[in-house]
Amino acid sequence: MSLRGWLLQGLQPSSGKHDEHPGKRHTWWQVMCLTGVDYFSTLGYQPGIAALAAGALSPIATMMLVALTLFGALPTYRVVAAESPNGMGSIQMLERLLPSWWGKLLVLVLLGFVATAFIFTITLSASDATAHVLENPFFPEALKGQQVPITLLLVAALGAIFLRGFSEAIGLAIALVAVYLTLNVVVVGKGILEVLASPSLVDNWQNALTTDYSSPLAMIAVSAIVLPKLALGLSGFETGVAVMPQIEGDLAQRIKGAKRLLTVAALIMSVFLIFSSFATAILIPHKEFEEGGKASGRALAYLAHQYLGDWFGTAYDISTIAILWFAGASAMTGLLNIVPRYLPRYGMAPDWARAVRPLVLVFTAISFVITIIFGANVESQGGAYATGVLALILSAALAVTISVLRQGRRGPAVAFGVITLVLAYAFIVNVIDRPDGLGIAIFFVIAIVVSSVVSRATRSTELRVTRIDLDEAARKILADLPPGELRIIANEPDARDAAEYDEKDRETREYHHLPDDEPMIFLEVTLGDTSEFESEVHVRGEERHGHRILTTESATVANTIAAILFHLRDTTGTTPHVYFHWAEGNPIGALLRYLFFGGGDVPPLTREVIRQAEPDLRRRPHVHVG
């Protein structure tokens, strides 16, 4: 097999349709483990990031994060699960709320933030896995300080597995999550026991709070300021909705299962976040959280080695490394699912984007660049990761707010509006504090928009019609035609009065020297949603002012005319002739009108679509212009 054949193996159909129904479904708690490898794995670095950002306030800031989780993100995504049960999440909700090109532009922007969140899931998880490797006492000293090369090796291994062919194994996810959470119960439980056994450490922590902050209100205010830096603890909700199609049962059962999944996962994570933040903030010296410290990016692993011994600590390291690496696999799978769900449907992905392996190479290369730029540092990547996560949750809250408001539910609309404002605050503060995340997200947005426009332009002369249906009147018009040539007059409808059709019929016959008794059929295509790339065409027949007319609505005129001509050829056995009038105007303007508004210079565009779709010159419908 050639290299090109290997890369494009398993190329999906160009329609961009995504299989929403996997071959085997699972119970909600099993699927929770699949999303849990992303969500729960943040325990590997979240307590350390919280301690570094908030210092002694990290338990208070973490409780605020838990409140935002349980009373903000969780209710929001329970609604998202009900309104988008096919796994496409809040992005699809917003796409439905905005018409035409505005909806698609919003989706492209959000995909930029999705890419930011998922790419940084890969790089940050690999970086934190490397931190656990390097700080393990049994790791060779000669390799200490090789953070970037080891992280690149982990990312490369992830890419290599996907290049070979990788499908998420829920069984492996269940095992990883079960072992990891069990070990965390032991580590966090031991940490809490040490805290209870050391009242002096608790006194020192309380003294630090009262010394640095004048009142509880000041503590809450500062915690609210640092809260956006803890946003990584919200990272599992979008993934939780994305895996909904894997939950067993009918639609209602899947929605119910998804709500249970989200609720139980949020409760488990909240308990771990609260207790781990107290244990790490009280037991670990602050200097160890800083870059180069033994607890940097691995606070719970530090406690495991410190209080349970190096052998148990090593077992905890191995479990953490495994689940962090698998979190990268989960993110890669998410990226590979998102591209065929959206971009090909918009006509905004190049042909090779319908295959897995080229996308794996692209995402792996981007992950390499991100890892090198950030030096495989966990804390420095946190800003960009938080930007992506907060943007997605904010978009979900906004979508839910608009949805319930349109349903006339004012009470819930106000509640979700408040949640949206809180998340907007967190997003804005995070961007101001760490603007590099927004810069990277904007880069992804620009790259997606530019590549999408170029792709749509290069694919614009495909047929772009997936199905053609003729109603009974249209079929009767064709059946009543006498034997002979099939002649079609392409007409842009205006007044649709007798004068319009009589004049167009007379001009066509005179210019092309056709006899008066030659049967003619008018074909009229009016524009619908021109932002759609592909569409099903329903052709209606009618007789008006003594003329036979076929009418339809579509996203583009030229492509639809070509597709109907092919359909008429195949159903009647006669190669049709189509007659146009020359269009006038600026050719650049005509091209732009065609690309974005479905019109343009229809005659030559129709001929070009026909030429590309039918290589056999003898079978091509005939295009006449006069």
Side-chain angles (χ1 to χ4, degrees):
M1 181 184 296
S2 66
L3 177 61
R4 185 177 186 277
W6 179 77
L7 284 172
L8 298 181
Q9 189 175 21
L11 196 70
Q12 297 299 312
S14 60
S15 64
K17 292 184 178 179
H18 184 86
D19 182 12
E20 298 171 359
H21 307 287
K24 182 180 179 182
R25 288 178 173 157
H26 307 268
T27 60
W28 66 267
W29 66 266
Q30 291 175 316
V31 179
M32 182 188 72
C33 293
L34 186 59
T35 187
V37 295
D38 176 20
Y39 192 25
F40 300 143
S41 69
T42 57
L43 287 170
Y45 47 81
Q46 177 72 13
I49 289 177
L52 197 60
L57 283 175
S58 64
I60 299 174
T62 298
M63 284 192 287
M64 294 181 70
L65 175 68
V66 168
L68 183 58
T69 297
L70 297 179
F71 303 108
L74 178 58
T76 296
Y77 276 92
R78 284 173 63 92
V79 175
V80 172
E83 296 202 14
S84 183
N86 57 2
M88 298 179 80
S90 59
I91 296 180
Q92 185 187 50
M93 290 178 65
L94 286 171
E95 181 189 21
R96 291 199 302 257
L97 292 172
L98 289 177
S100 192
W101 283 106
W102 292 109
K104 290 176 175 57
L105 180 60
L106 177 61
V107 168
L108 293 180
V109 171
L110 289 176
L111 287 179
F113 286 98
V114 169
T116 303
F118 281 16
I119 288 291
F120 275 90
T121 297
I122 296 172
T123 59
L124 189 146
S125 297
S127 299
D128 196 48
T130 301
H132 283 78
V133 170
L134 294 178
E135 290 299 328
N136 187 278
F138 299 114
F139 191 73
E141 285 291 333
L143 295 178
K144 299 286 186 180
Q146 300 300 314
Q147 182 88 359
V148 172
I150 294 175
T151 303
L152 291 177
L153 183 63
L154 289 175
V155 173
L158 178 68
I161 288 178
F162 274 87
L163 286 175
R164 286 191 60 188
F166 181 88
S167 59
E168 280 191 332
I170 285 187
L172 178 57
I174 292 171
L176 288 174
V177 168
V179 172
Y180 184 66
L181 292 183
T182 300
L183 293 177
N184 271 287
V185 168
V186 176
V187 173
V188 175
K190 178 63 175 177
I192 295 299
L193 290 176
E194 290 293 329
V195 169
L196 295 175
S198 307
S200 60
L201 293 177
V202 178
D203 292 338
N204 292 338
W205 173 66
Q206 291 176 332
N207 291 334
L209 288 178
T210 56
T211 301
D212 294 339
Y213 306 100
S214 58
S215 67
L217 187 61
M219 297 178 193
I220 294 173
V222 175
S223 296
I225 293 174
V226 301
L227 176 63
K229 293 184 178 181
L230 279 62
L232 303 187
L234 299 168
S235 64
F237 285 98
E238 194 72 28
T239 310
V241 173
V243 298
M244 279 186 67
Q246 303 215 33
I247 299 175
E248 66 183 8
D250 58 23
L251 184 62
Q253 290 172 322
R254 293 211 312 274
I255 293 173
K256 185 177 180 181
K259 290 181 177 181
R260 286 180 177 174
L261 179 158
L262 293 168
T263 302
V264 173
L267 290 172
I268 291 173
M269 191 66 173
S270 296
V271 171
F272 275 112
L273 285 175
I274 291 174
F275 284 105
S276 65
S277 67
F278 274 101
T280 54
I282 294 173
L283 295 175
I284 302 177
H286 185 75
K287 66 177 182 179
E288 297 294 352
F289 292 114
E290 298 173 355
E291 185 175 353
K294 293 183 179 180
S296 177
R298 54 185 298 276
L300 291 178
Y302 177 94
L303 293 182
H305 284 274
Q306 186 77 12
Y307 295 102
L308 294 166
D310 286 338
W311 285 106
F312 182 90
T314 298
Y316 183 83
D317 284 339
I318 293 172
S319 175
T320 304
I321 292 166
I323 199 168
L324 284 167
W325 181 86
F326 205 79
S330 177
M332 180 72 82
T333 301
L335 286 168
L336 296 176
N337 285 338
I338 284 172
V339 170
R341 284 188 178 192
Y342 285 101
L343 296 184
R345 183 161 56 90
Y346 295 170
M348 292 180 174
D351 240 16
W352 53 262
R354 295 185 283 113
V356 168
R357 285 172 176 145
L359 289 178
V360 170
L361 292 174
V362 170
F363 297 143
T364 302
I366 294 172
S367 299
F368 272 24
V369 173
I370 294 295
T371 298
I372 294 170
I373 290 175
F374 286 88
N377 183 276
V378 174
E379 202 280 332
S380 63
Q381 295 178 68
Y385 189 10
T387 298
V389 170
L390 285 171
L392 292 181
I393 298 179
L394 175 58
S395 69
L398 179 61
V400 170
T401 301
I402 296 173
S403 178
V404 296
L405 187 61
R406 288 187 172 185
Q407 296 169 18
R409 300 161 57 195
R410 293 188 178 181
V414 171
F416 285 114
V418 172
I419 294 171
T420 302
L421 290 176
V422 172
L423 291 168
Y425 155 77
F427 177 77
I428 293 170
V429 170
N430 181 75
V431 167
I432 293 173
D433 185 52
R434 294 181 284 187
D436 55 336
L438 181 62
I440 292 171
I442 290 175
F443 168 79
F444 279 123
V445 169
I446 293 174
I448 288 173
V449 170
V450 171
S451 62
S452 296
V453 170
V454 171
S455 174
R456 177 125 178 178
T458 57
R459 295 186 59 196
S460 63
T461 51
E462 296 178 9
L463 276 179
R464 296 172 58 178
V465 173
T466 57
R467 181 180 177 182
I468 296 178
D469 288 326
L470 277 66
D471 70 1
E472 185 176 347
R475 292 194 296 270
K476 185 176 186 303
I477 287 174
L478 295 174
D480 290 346
L481 287 175
E485 299 289 354
L486 178 57
R487 301 189 187 275
I488 307 293
I489 300 176
N491 181 48
E492 182 179 357
D494 188 12
R496 303 198 78 206
D497 55 13
E500 176 183 337
Y501 293 109
D502 291 343
E503 181 66 15
K504 184 64 70 70
D505 182 272
R506 182 188 61 79
E507 288 179 353
T508 301
R509 294 180 189 277
E510 287 183 359
Y511 191 88
H512 298 285
H513 309 292
L514 299 175
D516 291 341
D517 60 350
E518 184 76 16
M520 307 289 279
I521 299 175
F522 283 86
L523 175 59
E524 298 176 346
V525 179
T526 55
L527 292 172
D529 183 357
T530 57
S531 68
E532 291 295 327
F533 185 72
E534 293 180 327
S535 58
E536 295 184 357
V537 172
H538 305 282
V539 181
R540 301 175 299 278
E542 61 177 295
E543 291 205 14
R544 181 184 289 264
H545 310 299
H547 298 280
R548 293 175 286 253
I549 306 169
L550 301 178
T551 65
T552 190
E553 182 181 280
S554 184
T556 175
V557 176
N559 308 65
T560 303
I561 291 175
I564 291 174
L565 293 175
F566 281 123
H567 183 78
L568 295 179
R569 179 199 68 182
D570 296 338
T571 54
T572 65
T574 301
T575 302
H577 295 255
V578 63
Y579 299 90
F580 293 96
H581 282 228
W582 277 116
E584 296 180 353
N586 186 290
I588 301 300
L591 177 61
L592 293 177
R593 288 196 303 273
Y594 171 64
L595 292 177
F596 296 104
F597 304 109
D601 195 356
V602 175
L605 288 168
T606 303
R607 184 187 181 282
E608 179 60 20
V609 173
I610 291 172
R611 186 190 68 82
Q612 291 191 20
E614 178 53 76
D616 189 346
L617 184 62
R618 295 169 298 179
R619 288 178 48 80
R620 290 179 189 168
H622 306 288
V623 178
H624 306 271
V625 183

